[in-house]
Short mmCIF file of all heavy atoms in Angstrom, two decimals:
data_model
loop_
_atom_site.label_atom_id
_atom_site.label_comp_id
_atom_site.label_asym_id
_atom_site.label_seq_id
_atom_site.Cartn_x
_atom_site.Cartn_y
_atom_site.Cartn_z
N TYR A 321 -10.98 11.47 -25.31
CA TYR A 321 -11.88 11.48 -26.47
C TYR A 321 -13.24 12.04 -26.10
O TYR A 321 -13.66 11.95 -24.97
CB TYR A 321 -12.05 10.07 -27.02
CG TYR A 321 -10.74 9.52 -27.56
CD1 TYR A 321 -9.84 8.91 -26.69
CD2 TYR A 321 -10.38 9.69 -28.89
CE1 TYR A 321 -8.62 8.44 -27.16
CE2 TYR A 321 -9.18 9.23 -29.34
CZ TYR A 321 -8.30 8.63 -28.50
OH TYR A 321 -7.08 8.18 -28.95
N LYS A 322 -13.92 12.62 -27.10
CA LYS A 322 -15.27 13.15 -26.90
C LYS A 322 -16.29 12.03 -26.84
O LYS A 322 -16.25 11.15 -27.68
CB LYS A 322 -15.66 14.13 -28.03
CG LYS A 322 -14.75 15.34 -28.12
CD LYS A 322 -15.16 16.17 -29.32
CE LYS A 322 -14.18 17.31 -29.52
NZ LYS A 322 -14.51 18.05 -30.75
N THR A 323 -17.16 12.08 -25.88
CA THR A 323 -18.21 11.04 -25.80
C THR A 323 -19.23 11.18 -26.91
O THR A 323 -19.92 10.23 -27.27
CB THR A 323 -18.94 11.07 -24.44
OG1 THR A 323 -19.48 12.37 -24.23
CG2 THR A 323 -18.00 10.73 -23.32
N THR A 324 -19.38 12.35 -27.48
CA THR A 324 -20.40 12.59 -28.51
C THR A 324 -20.06 11.96 -29.84
O THR A 324 -20.95 11.45 -30.52
CB THR A 324 -20.58 14.10 -28.73
OG1 THR A 324 -19.32 14.69 -29.01
CG2 THR A 324 -21.22 14.75 -27.52
N ASP A 325 -18.78 11.95 -30.24
CA ASP A 325 -18.44 11.38 -31.56
C ASP A 325 -17.15 10.58 -31.58
O ASP A 325 -16.65 10.24 -32.64
CB ASP A 325 -18.36 12.53 -32.60
CG ASP A 325 -17.31 13.57 -32.26
OD1 ASP A 325 -16.51 13.37 -31.30
OD2 ASP A 325 -17.27 14.59 -32.97
N ASN A 326 -16.60 10.29 -30.40
CA ASN A 326 -15.40 9.44 -30.28
C ASN A 326 -14.18 10.00 -30.99
O ASN A 326 -13.27 9.25 -31.34
CB ASN A 326 -15.66 8.03 -30.75
CG ASN A 326 -16.73 7.36 -29.94
OD1 ASN A 326 -16.75 7.48 -28.70
ND2 ASN A 326 -17.63 6.65 -30.57
N THR A 327 -14.11 11.32 -31.17
CA THR A 327 -12.90 11.92 -31.75
C THR A 327 -11.99 12.42 -30.63
O THR A 327 -12.44 12.71 -29.52
CB THR A 327 -13.27 13.11 -32.67
OG1 THR A 327 -13.97 14.08 -31.93
CG2 THR A 327 -14.09 12.64 -33.87
N ALA A 328 -10.73 12.50 -30.93
CA ALA A 328 -9.74 12.98 -29.96
C ALA A 328 -10.01 14.41 -29.58
O ALA A 328 -10.36 15.24 -30.42
CB ALA A 328 -8.35 12.81 -30.53
N VAL A 329 -9.85 14.73 -28.30
CA VAL A 329 -10.00 16.07 -27.81
C VAL A 329 -8.68 16.81 -28.05
O VAL A 329 -7.61 16.26 -27.79
CB VAL A 329 -10.33 16.08 -26.29
CG1 VAL A 329 -10.40 17.48 -25.75
CG2 VAL A 329 -11.62 15.31 -26.03
N THR A 330 -8.76 18.04 -28.54
CA THR A 330 -7.52 18.79 -28.81
C THR A 330 -7.21 19.71 -27.62
O THR A 330 -8.10 20.05 -26.82
CB THR A 330 -7.67 19.66 -30.07
OG1 THR A 330 -8.63 20.68 -29.82
CG2 THR A 330 -8.04 18.80 -31.29
N ASN A 331 -5.97 20.11 -27.57
CA ASN A 331 -5.54 21.06 -26.53
C ASN A 331 -6.35 22.35 -26.62
O ASN A 331 -6.75 22.94 -25.62
CB ASN A 331 -4.06 21.37 -26.66
CG ASN A 331 -3.19 20.21 -26.29
OD1 ASN A 331 -3.49 19.46 -25.37
ND2 ASN A 331 -2.08 20.04 -26.97
N ALA A 332 -6.68 22.81 -27.85
CA ALA A 332 -7.44 24.03 -28.04
C ALA A 332 -8.83 23.90 -27.45
O ALA A 332 -9.38 24.88 -26.92
CB ALA A 332 -7.53 24.38 -29.51
N THR A 333 -9.42 22.71 -27.51
CA THR A 333 -10.76 22.50 -26.94
C THR A 333 -10.74 22.73 -25.44
O THR A 333 -11.72 23.25 -24.86
CB THR A 333 -11.25 21.06 -27.22
OG1 THR A 333 -11.30 20.85 -28.63
CG2 THR A 333 -12.62 20.80 -26.61
#
Side-chain angles (χ1 to χ4, degrees):
Y321 295 86
K322 297 177 188 175
T323 56
T324 54
D325 60 8
N326 298 318
T327 59
V329 177
T330 67
N331 290 325
T333 300

